[in-house]
């Protein structure tokens, strides 16, 4: 039985890394089960298993933002401490992409009037300094990219922002380490994830409490090296020149953070990093 699982895993990994479509050989859910037995597929990735809309080309313009909005709040790492109150803003522009992707784009667009297309984000955009990027249109190619960067002994995590509340208090901060791959769900009618590994990045689990007492698990990433980011955009967001302090942002519910397998304490108030 172990030999059979090993054969399946090698087949899954080689097909995923090649980016070829062989779903008729090993269905995508079996891909996942072969790599991570008895581990449920995160909700943030389940949309990759759904059939895409008929007659919609991948190069179609982004659709209008739906109810799952993207956090666009940036802050400094020294602001991550228990008791800190933070305003978390969400994108409300018609064609928003995740701000974690937006700040790595070299060309600034008026996103109130036009959005970034698949060609802009995934084809024309070259990897920034210190970034390894990949656009995944299927679960198996996403798995392949993540494993190629972190190995098999990894786990996926996602934020769980509830509703559209904007003010939260930090309950605790847990350092998840400096090795991570982020996969952002892009805002296209067909499901596409922008995955990237970025040099000089630290991930954190940040339990938050809204003003009405609602608790949320949020993921934050802090970039020590901002040289590959769009400095004009960062200057607009942070109101000062980037580079002197680690710049951080939250990941939205549609993003998945992959980290080496470790014990993540989901209890509020535990494993604080202050």
């Amino acid at each position: 039985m172990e030999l059979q699982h090993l054969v399946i895993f090698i087949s899954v990994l080689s097909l995923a890394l090649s980016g070829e479509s062989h779903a008729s050989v090993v269905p995508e859910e079996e891909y996942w089960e072969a790599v991570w037995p008895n581990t449920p597929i995160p909700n943030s990735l389940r949309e990759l298993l759904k059939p895409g809309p008929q007659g919609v080309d991948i190069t179609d313009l982004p659709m209008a933002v739906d109810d799952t909005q993207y956090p666009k709040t940036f802050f400094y790492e020294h602001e991550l401490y228990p008791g800190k109150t933070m305003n978390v803003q969400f994108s409300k522009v018609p064609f928003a992409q995740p701000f974690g992707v937006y700040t790595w784009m070299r060309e600034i667009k008026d996103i109130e009037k036009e959005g970034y297309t698949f060609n802009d984000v995934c084809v024309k955009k070259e990897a920034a300094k210190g970034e390894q990027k990949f656009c995944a249109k299927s679960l198996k190619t996403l798995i392949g990219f993540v494993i190629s960067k972190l190995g098999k002994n990894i786990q996926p995590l996602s934020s769980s922002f509830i509703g559209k509340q904007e003010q939260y208090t930090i309950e605790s901060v847990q350092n998840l380490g400096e090795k991570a791959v982020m996969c952002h769900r892009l805002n296209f009618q067909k499901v596409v994830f922008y995955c990237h590994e970025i040099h000089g990045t630290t991930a954190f689990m940040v339990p938050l409490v809204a003003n009405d007492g609602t608790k949320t698990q949020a993921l934050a990433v802090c970039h020590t090296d901002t040289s590959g980011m769009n400095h004009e955009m960062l200057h607009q967001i942070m109101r000062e020149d980037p580079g002197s302090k680690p710049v951080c942002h939250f990941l939205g519910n549609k993003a998945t953070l992959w980290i080496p397998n470790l014990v993540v304490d989901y209890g509020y108030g535990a494993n604080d990093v202050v």
Side-chain angles (χ1 to χ4, degrees), residues 75-82 84 86 170 173 204 206 220-222 248 250 273-274:
F75 49 92
Y76 291 118
E77 187 173 337
H78 69 259
E79 297 180 86
L80 282 177
Y81 61 87
K84 170 72 174 179
M86 303 188 73
I170 296 176
V173 180
F204 297 91
V206 187
V221 291
C222 296
C248 312
F250 288 113
V273 177
V274 295

Side-chain angles (χ1 to χ4, degrees), residues 32-240:
W32 182 276
E33 179 64 22
V35 182
W36 295 290
N38 305 313
T39 302
I41 300 174
N43 290 334
S44 57
L45 297 179
R46 281 203 163 272
E47 291 185 359
L48 281 167
L49 302 176
K50 299 176 183 178
Q54 295 295 320
V56 176
D57 189 78
I58 193 63
T59 57
D60 287 353
L61 285 173
M63 58 186 176
V65 173
D66 63 15
D67 289 336
T68 305
Q69 300 180 352
Y70 301 108
K72 63 175 184 179
T73 298
F74 275 69
F75 49 92
Y76 291 118
E77 187 173 337
H78 69 259
E79 297 180 86
L80 282 177
Y81 61 87
K84 170 72 174 179
T85 299
M86 303 188 73
N87 290 321
V88 182
Q89 297 181 323
F90 295 87
S91 298
K92 295 181 173 63
V93 294
F95 302 111
Q97 295 295 355
F99 264 65
V101 175
Y102 184 57
T103 51
W104 293 86
M105 301 295 291
R106 307 314 300 168
E107 178 187 356
I108 299 297
K109 282 192 173 186
D110 184 352
I111 56 175
E112 293 282 355
K113 299 177 180 178
E114 60 178 334
Y116 286 101
T117 65
F118 176 85
N119 192 52
D120 292 331
V121 179
C122 296
V123 180
K124 293 193 301 182
K125 179 189 178 300
E126 296 182 358
K129 179 182 177 182
E131 179 193 29
Q132 299 289 323
K133 78 178 188 75
F134 177 74
C135 283
K137 294 181 280 186
S138 69
L139 186 60
K140 63 180 178 292
T141 56
L142 187 150
I143 291 172
F145 176 77
V146 175
I147 289 177
S148 73
K149 299 303 175 187
L150 301 177
K152 179 191 172 186
N153 190 24
I154 53 180
Q155 62 177 310
L157 302 171
S158 294
S159 297
S160 59
F161 285 102
I162 300 173
K164 299 177 182 178
Q165 301 186 62
E166 294 189 350
Q167 191 168 69
Y168 296 88
T169 299
I170 296 176
E171 280 207 322
S172 64
V173 180
Q174 182 179 357
N175 190 322
L176 301 177
E178 299 179 359
K179 194 72 175 173
V181 170
M182 291 155 282
C183 292
H184 306 267
R185 165 70 198 273
L186 297 176
N187 192 37
F188 300 123
Q189 295 184 55
K190 281 195 173 181
V191 180
V192 181
F193 277 82
Y194 182 95
C195 298
H196 56 171
E197 181 186 43
I198 304 171
H199 171 73
T201 297
T202 305
F204 297 91
M205 178 78 77
V206 187
L208 303 172
V209 183
N211 285 341
D212 66 356
T214 301
K215 293 189 175 184
T216 291
Q217 285 282 12
L219 294 171
V221 291
C222 296
H223 303 287
T224 304
D225 182 1
T226 60
S227 59
M229 303 178 80
N230 189 300
H231 283 204
E232 179 184 349
M233 175 56 59
L234 280 183
H235 184 80
Q236 293 176 16
I237 295 171
M238 306 303 290
R239 299 293 186 262
E240 61 179 89

